[in-house]
Amino acid sequence: MSPTFADLGVPADLIALLERSGISSPFPIQEVTLPDALAGRDVSGRAPTGSGKTLAFAITAVQALGGPSRSKPGRPRGLVLVPTRELAAQVCGVLGPLAKARKLTVTAVYGGAGYGPQLRALRSAVDILVACPGRLENLIDPRDVSLNDVKIAVVDEADRMADMGFLPAVRRILDQTAHDRQVLLFSATLDGEVDVLVRHYQNN
């Protein structure tokens, strides 16, 4: 018999929220990643778009940060790096309701939109930041935004990041997060440049 979300360690309040959304049983990628991710371990998941990985890391991030919000202005505690603005919107759509249930805030920054509103949002008490690497680097200023408090970082679709030339920016961004942060990485492939990320940024 397939495991339930409860079997995987997902807390009851988030399970109830998932059930109200019509999600009653975990996908395979959630079955194999959630137990270790919720235990605080670094996880690499090989998974294509549409496999359910977004929910896996969304549950983990929300659980890792607890709630309600304890983030300081300009110092997010969760970070999700994505390659495109479309994926940023998709991630926010999955992450938003879970975060709201725990009284956590989510903000997205990406190209193709004005800098002003995004910078103002970053300066507020954001708990989880969803960001495209290039735009995030352009917005970060030590006087306005710090990643030193990030305790969980997610690199989503790392293979696409590599194809688009974003991995150097991803590395520079991860280098600014807390040294003991948890890192979750999801990619359709885990070799080449993606393997460098795995070996350099994942320890536990």
Side-chain angles (χ1 to χ4, degrees):
M1 189 172 69
S2 298
T4 64
F5 280 112
D7 295 332
L8 301 178
V10 180
D13 63 322
L14 298 184
I15 292 174
L17 178 61
L18 294 175
E19 289 178 344
R20 288 196 295 272
S21 301
I23 303 171
S24 57
S25 57
F27 283 22
I29 189 64
Q30 296 158 9
E31 292 180 14
V32 297
T33 58
L34 274 170
D36 285 318
L38 288 170
R41 300 184 183 96
D42 294 342
V43 171
S44 295
R46 191 174 67 188
T49 300
S51 61
K53 59 185 170 57
T54 303
L55 185 59
F57 67 69
I59 289 171
T60 303
V62 168
Q63 178 63 11
L65 299 187
S69 175
R70 298 191 304 275
S71 296
K72 301 173 184 176
R75 301 177 73 95
R77 293 181 297 132
L79 175 66
V80 182
L81 296 175
V82 296
T84 66
R85 63 183 297 173
E86 292 78 17
L87 188 55
Q90 176 186 320
V91 168
C92 287
V94 175
L95 187 53
L98 296 169
K100 185 177 180 181
R102 290 287 180 89
K103 298 182 178 178
L104 299 169
T105 58
V106 179
T107 290
V109 296
Y110 43 76
Y115 280 86
Q118 293 184 359
L119 185 55
R120 287 192 292 273
L122 279 173
R123 289 171 179 161
S124 66
V126 175
D127 294 299
I128 303 174
L129 177 63
V130 181
C132 294
R135 174 53 64 97
L136 178 56
E137 281 205 304
N138 289 339
L139 287 167
I140 286 179
D141 185 306
R143 295 168 298 179
D144 299 312
V145 181
S146 170
L147 300 180
N148 290 342
D149 289 354
V150 170
K151 63 179 292 185
I152 180 166
V154 179
V155 181
D156 192 18
E157 299 205 358
D159 55 316
R160 289 184 66 190
M161 297 267 209
D163 292 341
M164 297 170 73
F166 286 151
L167 289 195
V170 169
R171 295 192 63 167
R172 289 191 296 268
I173 289 167
L174 291 177
D175 286 340
Q176 297 180 54
T177 61
H179 292 301
D180 59 349
R181 77 296 190 230
Q182 180 183 10
V183 178
L184 309 181
L185 182 145
F186 291 88
S187 178
T189 62
L190 292 171
D191 51 11
E193 290 183 276
V194 175
D195 182 57
V196 173
L197 285 183
V198 172
R199 289 186 285 108
H200 194 81
Y201 293 100
Q202 295 191 303
N203 303 300
N204 180 17

Coordinates of all heavy atoms in Angstrom, one line a residue, residues 33-91:
T33 N 11.3 11.9 -1.2 CA 12.1 13.0 -0.8 C 11.6 13.6 0.6 O 12.4 14.1 1.4 CB 12.1 14.2 -1.8 OG1 10.7 14.6 -2.1 CG2 12.8 13.7 -3.1
L34 N 10.3 13.5 0.8 CA 9.8 14.2 2.0 C 10.3 13.7 3.3 O 10.7 14.5 4.2 CB 8.2 14.1 2.0 CG 7.5 15.2 1.2 CD1 6.0 15.0 1.1 CD2 7.8 16.6 1.9
P35 N 10.5 12.4 3.6 CA 11.0 12.0 4.9 C 12.4 12.6 5.2 O 12.6 13.1 6.3 CB 11.0 10.4 4.8 CG 10.0 10.1 3.8 CD 10.0 11.2 2.8
D36 N 13.3 12.5 4.3 CA 14.6 13.1 4.5 C 14.6 14.6 4.6 O 15.3 15.2 5.4 CB 15.6 12.6 3.4 CG 16.0 11.2 3.6 OD1 16.3 10.7 4.7 OD2 16.1 10.4 2.6
A37 N 13.8 15.2 3.7 CA 13.8 16.7 3.6 C 13.2 17.2 4.9 O 13.7 18.2 5.5 CB 13.0 17.1 2.4
L38 N 12.1 16.6 5.4 CA 11.5 17.1 6.6 C 12.3 16.8 7.8 O 12.2 17.5 8.9 CB 10.1 16.4 6.8 CG 9.0 16.9 5.8 CD1 7.8 16.0 5.9 CD2 8.6 18.3 6.1
A39 N 13.3 15.9 7.7 CA 14.2 15.6 8.8 C 15.4 16.6 8.8 O 16.3 16.5 9.6 CB 14.7 14.2 8.7
G40 N 15.4 17.5 7.8 CA 16.4 18.5 7.8 C 17.6 18.2 6.9 O 18.6 18.9 6.9
R41 N 17.6 17.0 6.2 CA 18.7 16.6 5.4 C 18.7 17.3 4.0 O 17.6 17.7 3.5 CB 18.7 15.1 5.2 CG 18.8 14.3 6.5 CD 18.9 12.8 6.2 NE 18.9 12.1 7.5 CZ 17.8 11.5 8.0 NH1 16.6 11.7 7.4 NH2 17.9 10.9 9.2
D42 N 19.9 17.5 3.4 CA 20.0 17.9 2.1 C 19.4 16.8 1.1 O 19.7 15.7 1.4 CB 21.4 18.3 1.7 CG 22.0 19.4 2.5 OD1 21.2 20.2 3.1 OD2 23.2 19.6 2.5
V43 N 18.7 17.2 0.1 CA 18.1 16.2 -0.8 C 18.3 16.7 -2.2 O 18.2 17.8 -2.6 CB 16.6 16.1 -0.5 CG1 15.9 15.3 -1.6 CG2 16.3 15.5 0.8
S44 N 18.7 15.7 -3.1 CA 18.8 15.9 -4.5 C 17.7 15.0 -5.1 O 17.7 13.8 -4.9 CB 20.1 15.5 -5.1 OG 21.2 16.3 -4.6
G45 N 16.8 15.6 -5.9 CA 15.7 14.9 -6.5 C 15.8 15.0 -8.0 O 15.9 16.1 -8.6
R46 N 15.8 13.9 -8.7 CA 15.8 13.9 -10.2 C 14.4 13.7 -10.6 O 13.7 12.7 -10.5 CB 16.6 12.7 -10.7 CG 16.9 12.8 -12.3 CD 17.8 11.8 -12.8 NE 17.3 10.5 -12.7 CZ 17.9 9.3 -12.9 NH1 19.2 9.4 -13.2 NH2 17.4 8.2 -12.8
A47 N 13.8 14.9 -11.1 CA 12.4 14.9 -11.4 C 12.1 15.9 -12.5 O 12.6 17.0 -12.4 CB 11.6 15.2 -10.1
P48 N 11.3 15.6 -13.5 CA 10.9 16.5 -14.5 C 9.8 17.4 -14.0 O 9.2 17.2 -13.0 CB 10.4 15.6 -15.6 CG 9.8 14.4 -14.9 CD 10.7 14.2 -13.7
T49 N 9.5 18.5 -14.8 CA 8.4 19.3 -14.6 C 7.1 18.5 -14.5 O 6.9 17.6 -15.4 CB 8.3 20.4 -15.7 OG1 9.5 21.2 -15.7 CG2 7.1 21.3 -15.4
G50 N 6.2 18.8 -13.6 CA 5.0 18.1 -13.5 C 5.0 16.9 -12.6 O 4.0 16.2 -12.6
S51 N 6.1 16.6 -12.0 CA 6.2 15.4 -11.2 C 5.7 15.5 -9.7 O 5.7 14.6 -9.0 CB 7.7 14.9 -11.2 OG 8.5 15.9 -10.6
G52 N 5.5 16.8 -9.3 CA 5.0 17.0 -7.9 C 6.1 17.5 -7.0 O 5.9 17.6 -5.8
K53 N 7.3 17.8 -7.6 CA 8.4 18.2 -6.8 C 8.1 19.6 -6.1 O 8.6 19.8 -5.0 CB 9.7 18.3 -7.6 CG 9.6 19.3 -8.8 CD 10.8 19.2 -9.6 CE 10.7 20.0 -10.9 NZ 10.3 21.4 -10.8
T54 N 7.4 20.5 -6.7 CA 7.1 21.8 -6.1 C 6.4 21.6 -4.8 O 6.8 22.3 -3.8 CB 6.3 22.6 -7.0 OG1 6.9 22.8 -8.3 CG2 6.0 24.0 -6.4
L55 N 5.5 20.7 -4.7 CA 4.8 20.5 -3.4 C 5.7 19.9 -2.4 O 5.6 20.2 -1.2 CB 3.6 19.6 -3.6 CG 2.7 19.4 -2.4 CD1 2.1 20.7 -1.9 CD2 1.5 18.4 -2.7
A56 N 6.6 19.0 -2.8 CA 7.6 18.4 -1.9 C 8.4 19.5 -1.2 O 8.6 19.5 0.0 CB 8.5 17.4 -2.7
F57 N 9.0 20.4 -2.0 CA 9.9 21.4 -1.4 C 9.0 22.5 -0.7 O 9.5 23.1 0.3 CB 10.9 21.9 -2.3 CG 10.5 22.8 -3.4 CD1 10.0 24.0 -3.3 CD2 10.7 22.3 -4.8 CE1 9.6 24.8 -4.4 CE2 10.4 23.1 -5.8 CZ 9.8 24.4 -5.7
A58 N 7.8 22.7 -1.1 CA 7.0 23.7 -0.5 C 6.6 23.3 0.9 O 6.7 24.0 1.9 CB 5.7 24.0 -1.3
I59 N 6.2 22.0 1.1 CA 5.9 21.5 2.4 C 7.1 21.6 3.3 O 7.0 22.0 4.5 CB 5.4 20.0 2.3 CG1 4.0 20.0 1.6 CG2 5.4 19.3 3.6 CD1 3.6 18.6 1.2
T60 N 8.3 21.2 2.8 CA 9.5 21.2 3.6 C 9.8 22.6 4.0 O 10.2 22.8 5.2 CB 10.6 20.6 2.8 OG1 10.3 19.3 2.3 CG2 11.9 20.5 3.6
A61 N 9.8 23.6 3.1 CA 10.1 24.9 3.5 C 9.2 25.5 4.5 O 9.7 26.1 5.5 CB 10.1 25.8 2.2
V62 N 7.9 25.3 4.4 CA 7.0 25.8 5.3 C 7.2 25.2 6.7 O 7.2 25.8 7.7 CB 5.5 25.6 4.8 CG1 4.5 25.9 5.9 CG2 5.3 26.5 3.6
Q63 N 7.4 23.9 6.7 CA 7.6 23.2 8.0 C 8.9 23.6 8.6 O 9.0 23.8 9.9 CB 7.6 21.7 7.8 CG 7.8 20.8 9.0 CD 6.8 21.0 10.1 OE1 5.7 21.6 9.8 NE2 7.0 20.5 11.3
A64 N 10.0 23.8 7.8 CA 11.3 24.2 8.4 C 11.2 25.6 9.0 O 11.9 25.8 10.0 CB 12.3 24.2 7.3
L65 N 10.4 26.5 8.5 CA 10.3 27.8 9.0 C 9.3 28.0 10.2 O 9.3 29.0 10.9 CB 10.0 28.8 7.9 CG 11.0 28.9 6.8 CD1 10.6 30.0 5.8 CD2 12.4 29.1 7.3
G66 N 8.5 27.0 10.4 CA 7.5 27.1 11.4 C 6.5 28.2 11.2 O 6.0 28.3 10.0
G67 N 6.2 29.0 12.1 CA 5.2 30.1 12.0 C 4.6 30.4 13.3 O 4.7 29.7 14.3
P68 N 4.0 31.6 13.4 CA 4.0 32.7 12.4 C 5.3 33.3 12.1 O 6.3 32.9 12.7 CB 3.0 33.7 13.0 CG 3.1 33.5 14.5 CD 3.4 32.0 14.7
S69 N 5.3 34.3 11.2 CA 6.5 34.9 10.8 C 7.5 35.4 11.9 O 7.0 36.0 12.8 CB 6.2 36.1 9.8 OG 7.4 36.8 9.4
R70 N 8.8 35.1 11.7 CA 9.8 35.6 12.6 C 10.9 36.3 11.9 O 12.0 36.6 12.4 CB 10.4 34.5 13.5 CG 9.3 33.9 14.4 CD 10.0 33.0 15.5 NE 10.9 32.0 14.8 CZ 10.4 30.8 14.4 NH1 9.1 30.5 14.4 NH2 11.3 30.0 13.8
S71 N 10.7 36.5 10.6 CA 11.7 37.1 9.7 C 11.9 38.6 10.0 O 10.9 39.3 10.3 CB 11.4 36.8 8.2 OG 11.4 35.5 8.0
K72 N 13.1 39.1 9.8 CA 13.4 40.5 10.0 C 13.3 41.2 8.6 O 13.5 40.5 7.6 CB 14.8 40.7 10.6 CG 15.0 40.0 11.9 CD 16.5 40.1 12.3 CE 16.7 39.3 13.6 NZ 18.1 39.3 14.0
P73 N 13.0 42.4 8.6 CA 12.9 43.1 7.3 C 14.2 43.0 6.5 O 15.3 43.1 7.0 CB 12.7 44.6 7.7 CG 12.0 44.5 9.1 CD 12.6 43.3 9.7
G74 N 14.0 42.6 5.2 CA 15.2 42.4 4.4 C 16.0 41.2 4.6 O 17.1 41.1 4.0
R75 N 15.5 40.3 5.4 CA 16.3 39.1 5.7 C 15.4 37.8 5.6 O 14.9 37.3 6.7 CB 16.9 39.2 7.1 CG 17.8 40.4 7.3 CD 18.4 40.5 8.7 NE 19.4 39.4 8.9 CZ 20.7 39.6 8.8 NH1 21.2 40.8 8.4 NH2 21.5 38.6 9.1
P76 N 15.1 37.3 4.4 CA 14.3 36.1 4.3 C 14.9 34.9 4.9 O 16.2 34.9 5.0 CB 14.1 36.0 2.7 CG 15.3 36.7 2.2 CD 15.6 37.8 3.1
R77 N 14.1 34.0 5.3 CA 14.7 32.7 5.9 C 14.6 31.5 5.0 O 15.2 30.5 5.3 CB 14.0 32.5 7.3 CG 14.3 33.5 8.3 CD 13.6 33.2 9.6 NE 12.1 33.2 9.5 CZ 11.3 32.3 10.0 NH1 11.8 31.2 10.6 NH2 10.0 32.4 9.8
G78 N 13.8 31.7 4.0 CA 13.6 30.6 3.0 C 13.9 31.2 1.6 O 13.5 32.4 1.3
L79 N 14.5 30.4 0.7 CA 14.8 30.9 -0.6 C 14.6 29.8 -1.7 O 15.1 28.7 -1.5 CB 16.3 31.3 -0.7 CG 16.9 31.7 -2.1 CD1 16.2 33.0 -2.5 CD2 18.4 31.9 -2.0
V80 N 13.9 30.1 -2.7 CA 13.6 29.2 -3.8 C 14.1 29.8 -5.1 O 13.6 30.9 -5.5 CB 12.1 28.8 -4.0 CG1 12.0 27.8 -5.1 CG2 11.6 28.3 -2.7
L81 N 15.1 29.2 -5.7 CA 15.7 29.8 -7.0 C 15.1 29.0 -8.1 O 15.1 27.8 -8.2 CB 17.2 29.6 -7.0 CG 17.9 30.5 -5.9 CD1 19.4 30.1 -5.9 CD2 17.7 31.9 -6.1
V82 N 14.6 29.7 -9.1 CA 13.9 29.1 -10.3 C 14.5 29.8 -11.5 O 14.9 31.0 -11.5 CB 12.4 29.3 -10.2 CG1 11.8 28.5 -9.0 CG2 12.0 30.8 -10.1
P83 N 14.4 29.2 -12.7 CA 15.0 29.7 -13.9 C 14.1 30.8 -14.6 O 14.7 31.6 -15.4 CB 15.2 28.5 -14.8 CG 14.2 27.5 -14.4 CD 14.1 27.7 -12.9
T84 N 12.8 30.7 -14.5 CA 11.9 31.6 -15.3 C 10.8 32.3 -14.4 O 10.5 31.7 -13.3 CB 11.2 30.9 -16.4 OG1 10.3 29.9 -15.8 CG2 12.3 30.1 -17.3
R85 N 10.3 33.4 -14.9 CA 9.2 34.0 -14.2 C 8.0 33.2 -14.2 O 7.2 33.2 -13.2 CB 8.9 35.4 -14.8 CG 8.4 35.4 -16.2 CD 8.2 36.7 -16.8 NE 7.2 37.5 -16.1 CZ 6.9 38.7 -16.3 NH1 7.6 39.5 -17.2 NH2 5.9 39.3 -15.7
E86 N 7.8 32.4 -15.2 CA 6.6 31.5 -15.3 C 6.7 30.5 -14.1 O 5.7 30.2 -13.5 CB 6.5 30.8 -16.6 CG 6.2 31.7 -17.8 CD 7.4 32.5 -18.3 OE1 8.5 32.2 -17.9 OE2 7.1 33.5 -19.0
L87 N 7.9 29.9 -13.9 CA 8.0 28.9 -12.9 C 7.9 29.6 -11.5 O 7.4 29.0 -10.6 CB 9.3 28.2 -13.0 CG 9.6 27.0 -12.1 CD1 8.4 26.0 -12.2 CD2 10.9 26.4 -12.3
A88 N 8.4 30.8 -11.4 CA 8.2 31.6 -10.1 C 6.8 31.7 -9.8 O 6.4 31.5 -8.6 CB 8.9 33.0 -10.2
A89 N 5.9 32.1 -10.7 CA 4.5 32.2 -10.5 C 3.9 30.9 -10.1 O 3.0 30.8 -9.2 CB 3.8 32.8 -11.7
Q90 N 4.3 29.8 -10.8 CA 3.8 28.5 -10.4 C 4.2 28.0 -9.0 O 3.3 27.5 -8.3 CB 4.4 27.4 -11.4 CG 3.9 26.0 -11.1 CD 4.7 25.0 -12.1 OE1 4.9 25.3 -13.3 NE2 5.1 23.9 -11.5
V91 N 5.4 28.3 -8.6 CA 5.9 27.9 -7.3 C 5.1 28.7 -6.3 O 4.7 28.2 -5.2 CB 7.4 28.2 -7.2 CG1 7.8 28.1 -5.7 CG2 8.2 27.2 -8.0

